[in-house]
Amino acid sequence: MTITGIAAGVPFVALEPAGVDGPAPLVATWHLMDEPRTEVAMAEALPMNDLPAWRVYFGLPMSGRRALPGGDEEFFALAAQDAVLNVFGPITKQAADEFPAAVADLRTQLSISDGPVYVAGGSAGSMVALEVIARGEVSIAAGAVVSPVTQLTPLVAANERRFEITYNWSAESREVAEYYDFVRRADEITVPLLMVVGSDDDIAIREPAALGHKEIAGSELVTIPGMQHEVVADDAKRVDAEFTRWFQQYIQG
């Protein structure tokens, strides 16, 4: 059964645990800005149906049920003005800031067991998952990310190529990008981490993920042949299988 709700102001979609009578662990997931780009779409793409855990998919700020009043037009205008300071930085910070209260509220709404939770994310959502792990405000047992933004600066360069624009760096935006460099902050990622990348994704995603894998203790890197950045169709099924395999060993361990 799918449950749709709000936890401490954060919209979510929750999928019931498989074969569990009583409280079950929590896997919290954040979606991409590319497809799947809402909590509903992420739940459909990566349901992890075989996990004996609640899978809860949070909506990112500025998207889905929290879309800006001007919709995509307003969102892309903000990104065009300054993607780092208007989009990547504030979305990641707000989503990480609101996570502890959202988890606490979820525990009053769903039958979630005590103990550490598990986190996952894709692309922009991966930044939230990694930041939540690094902060340690909520005890995390393991994480999994797909098409991960392991370093923000290369992603900005990728978007310059993709949209044929030039990003004008400032001292403030460089500080934000340096902060969201999880290769530099590898020692803050202290839980087992699965990183899934597509063989056909941009080098701005693949290369930082490989660097992160080398630096982050307890990490595993999996490459999906033929997958680009989006997590859709058959690629989503393969990522879902990898996420399920990864979490299964820790949830049941």
Side-chain angles (χ1 to χ4, degrees), residues 166-179:
T166 298
Y167 179 74
N168 296 312
W169 288 96
S170 64
E172 186 180 2
S173 61
R174 289 190 185 282
E175 184 178 350
V176 171
E178 182 181 3
Y179 180 78

Side-chain angles (χ1 to χ4, degrees), residues 43-114:
E44 292 173 351
L46 303 179
M48 297 177 270
N49 284 326
D50 291 335
L51 288 183
W54 286 97
R55 288 91 65 220
V56 172
Y57 303 80
F58 287 121
L60 289 174
M62 299 190 201
S63 68
R65 284 181 276 172
R66 292 195 284 178
L68 298 170
D72 284 348
E73 185 176 346
E74 183 178 354
F75 178 85
F76 287 117
L78 283 173
Q81 291 167 13
D82 196 312
V84 173
L85 297 182
N86 291 345
V87 176
F88 292 116
I91 285 178
T92 307
K93 183 180 186 304
Q94 181 180 338
D97 285 349
E98 63 195 15
F99 180 62
V103 170
D105 196 358
L106 278 177
R107 292 187 185 278
T108 71
Q109 299 185 45
L110 307 174
S111 184
I112 296 170
S113 58
D114 293 333

